[in-house]
Structures are given as C-alpha cells and as structure tokens.
Amino acid sequence: MASGSSRRGLHGYIARRYLSSRRGRGFLNLITWIAIGGVAVGVMALIVVIAVMSGLQTDLREKILGANSHGMVLELGETVRMDSWPSVLERIRGDEDVIAAAPFIYTEVGLNVPGGSYSEGAVLRGIQNDSTALEVTEIDEHLVSGTMPFGETESGRPGIVLGASLADRLGLFPGRQVTLVSFQGAELTPTGIQPQMRLFEVTGLFETGLYQYDTKFAYVDLAAAQTLLRMGTAVTGVEFNVRDPWKSGEVSDRLEADLGFPYRVDDWQKQNASLFSALKLEKFAMGVILLLIVLVASFNIVSTLIMVVTDKIREIGILRAMGLTEKDVTRIFVVQGVVIGLIGTAIGTIFGLLLSWLLYEYEFISLPGDVYFVDRLPVDVQPLDVLTIVGASLLISFLATLYPARRAAEYTPVEAIRHE
C-alpha cells in the first residue's frame, strides 16, 4: 500500500495528465485555458473595481477633512449666530482630544465682477487671522496661487481667496476685484430690501480637487465677513479638530453634553453620513455583481471536469481495478479543479494589482467632477479586500469540483471499463 505522501503525489500526477492536451504537446488544453481565463477575468475585475470604490471613499474623506473641520458647534435659535462664542471656544479647547478650535462665519453670497453682467453664487467662509484657524480648515495647504486673505491689499480692499474653478467662471485672478452681495443683514429701505455689498480683492486661489468646494467656496477674514453681514462681534459657530478624526463622533457627543442647550455639535461623519453610506452600499453591490463573474467561471470548471470525466471513464476504471479507492478518484478531480482555480486566481490577482497600480500611478482616466465629486479615478488597494477576493475565488473553485469529482468516483471498475 502506498504511503500518504506517495498517494498525494500520484493524485497530482494523474490530475496534471488529465489536464494536459491529448497529444501531450501542451500543459493545458484549450478548454482548461478558457476555464482559467474566466476565473482570472473575474478576480481581476473584482480587485480593480473594489480598489476604485475604496479609493473613492478614501479620496473623498481626505478632501472633505482637508477643507472642513472635524466638528462644529452651532447655537440653536431663530438666527444662525453665536454671540457668546469666546466662552464656548474656551470650553471646547479645554477638551483633551481637541487639538485646535476657532470661530467661523458661514453664509451664502453672490459674486459679481465690477462692470460685468455675470454673477455667481458662492459659499462664504470667514476665518480668523491666525495660525489656529488654519490648523482647523487647512485650506492654505491647497493654495495654487497667491496668499490667504489676511492683511491689507494694495487697493486697500479686504482680501478674498476663491476656489480655482469658481474664479475661472468669473474670469478672476489674484489682483482683480469682485463685489460680494449678501441678503443676510439686508436693510429695509423705502425702495425695498437693500442687500449688503462690499468690494473685495482676490488675493489667492485654492484647489482641493473636490468639485463642490472648488466651484462654490470663498474665504475671507472673519472681521471682513462680520462687517459685510452686519453681525458685529457674533459668528456662525465654532469649529474644531480632534486628534483622531474617527473619534470625532465621541468628542462631539461629549461636548454637546457639556455645553448643553441651546448648543448643537455635529461632526464630519454625521454631516456626510448619507454620502458615505451610499458609497459603502455601492461598493457592496458592485462586489456582489462582479462576484457573479467568478461564479460563471466556476461553471467552466464544472463543464471542464465533466468533459474530462466523460473522456477518461475507461482509464478511471483501470485505475480503480489497480487499487485506487473512491476517495482517491475524488481527490484527483478535486486537485484538477483547485489547480484551475489557483492558476486563474493567481493570474487575475497579478493583473488586477498591476492595472490598479497603473490607474493610481498615471491617473489616465478622468471623471466629470460635477457628477462624481472627484476629477480623477482614485484607487486604494486594501490588503484585506484582496485576501477576501482571493479566498472567495478559491472557495468557489473548490466547490465547483465536488459534483464532477463525485460523479467520477461513483463508477465501479466494471462499469467504467465497459463504458462506450
């Protein structure tokens, strides 16, 4: 009786011979290559698509955090304003997990180039003239031209920093002037409602890569925004950053409990919950859909092994007569299917990782930013995702071998030898 190791070697040898072409001129015949190709394509597609979906989540998260704070405190009331913000700011800075906090103003305005007929809506943000405010927003890290709007300009007008796409729409660049129009703080006159208007000088342009910010946002000094909106010393709220952005929810809940009514604390995850939930659902749905490609490829494995069983029935009978058991025959065909799955999975993994690297390195696929939030195809290969895909592919390949293997083992030596 052969030992366990020699039997395993025999199983592998016979499986390889059965996968070989009839004339022995090639290691794998055409049908086997088709089965391997189906598995490879499925695995490659899964790796690339899941990497793109993970990249989209990561890219959006980084860009949102790069242009926004981790959390903000607002005061509930008829108007969105906070008069007692110095005391609120002090209490926020007292939290051990808060690394930076600053007051801000947030409102919508209209932009108009003097002498021009075209206007554009924008989101105006007022921030303080100090390094702490920039630690919270980090918008200065995205400057592509000019400087932040702090200090006097050559014209004596307050400065404003615009998103690059927004500036392009209005034909603006550093040094040009733009009129800001706001209905917040508007005056009621005998001729009707008079909006607040003030002339600003463009001092810089920023580009975050996030379409909604680059086409809508503008930054000015906090004092200039207070003057434009007639808010006095009041602000919209206080924003803050924490040590670990993933724990911003815990910090926000703690601050809200500490501050009490009428203050509300929102973190970046809560503000963008619907967006990230949709991305997570889309990633799961795409994974399930593309997993069907691997399932379809598994039918190729089934059909390949069934054809091998049909073609090798007499040989199976001879091997059974020579002493091979049903388990031995089963293992022979299981090894064939697993080999097909291993080779296909390996090829698909290699090409999937290679294509993902090319997409990441060269960014040769661009996207319309107004539809997909980002202007390029982001890629982020997660090792756990790759291992999950590889494991699922191998499992499906193994399961696909069970029926053909059992069918081959069911033949008795006499039935197999007599088979026509």
Side-chain angles (χ1 to χ4, degrees):
M1 180 67 67
S3 65
S5 59
S6 62
R7 277 185 172 272
R8 286 192 293 270
L10 179 63
H11 298 158
Y13 173 76
I14 296 174
R16 184 181 67 83
R17 288 296 302 271
Y18 282 178
L19 285 172
S20 302
S21 60
R22 289 189 174 184
R23 298 180 181 179
R25 295 180 180 176
F27 175 66
L28 299 174
N29 59 31
L30 178 61
I31 297 176
T32 305
W33 274 117
I34 293 174
I36 290 174
V39 175
V41 170
V43 171
M44 181 182 69
L46 264 172
I47 289 177
V48 173
V49 171
I50 296 302
V52 169
M53 296 303 300
S54 297
L56 185 59
Q57 288 180 317
T58 303
D59 203 44
L60 279 175
R61 182 173 63 247
E62 290 177 352
K63 288 178 177 177
I64 287 173
L65 289 177
N68 285 285
S69 59
H70 297 167
M72 63 175 62
V73 181
L74 301 174
E75 184 174 348
L76 301 175
E78 295 181 359
T79 59
V80 185
R81 60 181 290 153
M82 183 183 295
D83 292 289
S84 58
W85 62 267
S87 60
V88 174
L89 178 63
E90 184 177 354
R91 294 173 68 177
I92 293 174
R93 287 176 173 172
D95 191 283
E96 60 182 3
D97 289 319
V98 174
I99 58 176
F104 72 96
I105 285 179
Y106 184 101
T107 188
E108 293 186 2
V109 297
L111 301 180
N112 179 263
V113 179
S117 59
Y118 178 72
S119 299
E120 185 79 26
V123 174
L124 181 68
R125 295 204 61 183
I127 58 178
Q128 279 185 321
N129 182 9
D130 58 31
S131 58
T132 303
L134 293 179
E135 288 180 12
V136 178
T137 62
E138 299 179 355
I139 195 64
D140 58 319
E141 298 181 3
H142 300 284
L143 285 176
V144 293
S145 177
T147 60
M148 291 301 293
F150 300 134
E152 288 294 326
T153 61
E154 293 184 3
S155 63
R157 304 289 183 181
I160 182 171
V161 170
L162 303 172
S165 298
L166 177 60
D168 287 341
R169 289 185 176 185
L170 294 167
L172 295 173
F173 50 84
R176 292 206 65 183
Q177 296 185 358
V178 61
T179 301
L180 267 65
V181 182
S182 172
F183 281 93
Q184 184 174 337
E187 297 179 283
L188 182 61
T189 66
T191 58
I193 297 177
Q194 183 67 35
Q196 296 298 311
M197 303 175 64
R198 192 175 185 186
L199 202 60
F200 285 76
E201 181 179 325
V202 179
T203 60
L205 306 176
F206 68 86
E207 188 171 11
T208 64
L210 200 59
Y211 181 83
Q212 282 80 352
Y213 289 88
D214 297 338
T215 59
K216 286 294 182 183
F217 274 66
Y219 287 80
V220 299
D221 182 35
L222 184 69
Q226 290 171 327
T227 301
L228 172 69
L229 305 177
R230 298 168 63 89
M231 294 182 66
T233 59
V235 298
T236 302
V238 177
E239 55 188 354
F240 59 89
N241 278 358
V242 297
R243 300 183 190 281
D244 185 359
W246 293 107
K247 294 183 179 179
S248 59
E250 299 176 13
V251 178
S252 297
D253 292 340
R254 185 167 65 243
L255 288 174
E256 186 167 334
D258 178 56
L259 293 171
F261 185 82
Y263 299 104
R264 185 184 82 237
V265 185
D266 290 332
D267 70 292
W268 69 274
Q269 296 181 73
K270 187 185 299 182
Q271 295 166 11
N272 300 279
S274 58
L275 173 60
F276 286 104
S277 295
L279 288 174
K280 186 179 296 184
L281 179 61
E282 187 175 357
K283 179 181 178 180
F284 174 76
M286 291 298 294
V288 171
I289 292 171
L290 290 171
L291 190 61
L292 295 177
I293 297 178
V294 181
L295 288 173
V296 171
S298 70
F299 287 106
N300 289 336
I301 297 176
V302 174
S303 62
T304 299
L305 294 183
I306 288 177
M307 292 182 68
V308 172
V309 170
T310 303
D311 188 54
K312 305 293 184 179
I313 289 179
R314 288 192 178 185
E315 295 182 21
I316 293 171
I318 295 172
L319 291 172
R320 290 292 308 278
M322 293 174 64
L324 258 65
T325 64
E326 289 187 10
K327 289 185 178 180
D328 290 328
V329 175
T330 300
R331 287 170 183 168
I332 288 171
F333 287 94
V334 167
V335 168
Q336 291 183 65
V338 170
V339 168
I340 293 174
L342 279 171
I343 296 175
T345 301
I347 294 174
T349 301
I350 292 171
F351 279 95
L353 294 175
L354 178 61
L355 183 55
S356 299
W357 178 81
L358 290 173
L359 289 171
Y360 173 81
E361 189 70 19
Y362 296 101
E363 301 179 358
F364 49 79
I365 296 181
S366 58
L367 300 174
D370 55 338
V371 177
Y372 296 101
F373 303 99
V374 293
D375 53 7
R376 62 179 180 82
L377 194 65
V379 177
D380 182 21
V381 178
Q382 298 287 339
L384 182 60
D385 290 339
V386 175
L387 291 176
T388 302
I389 293 169
V390 170
S393 175
L394 294 177
L395 177 61
I396 292 172
S397 300
F398 169 74
L399 295 176
T401 67
L402 298 181
Y403 171 72
R406 287 189 59 186
R407 181 177 175 182
E410 288 174 353
Y411 285 103
T412 64
V414 175
E415 289 176 338
I417 295 172
R418 288 179 176 179
H419 182 77
E420 293 293 337

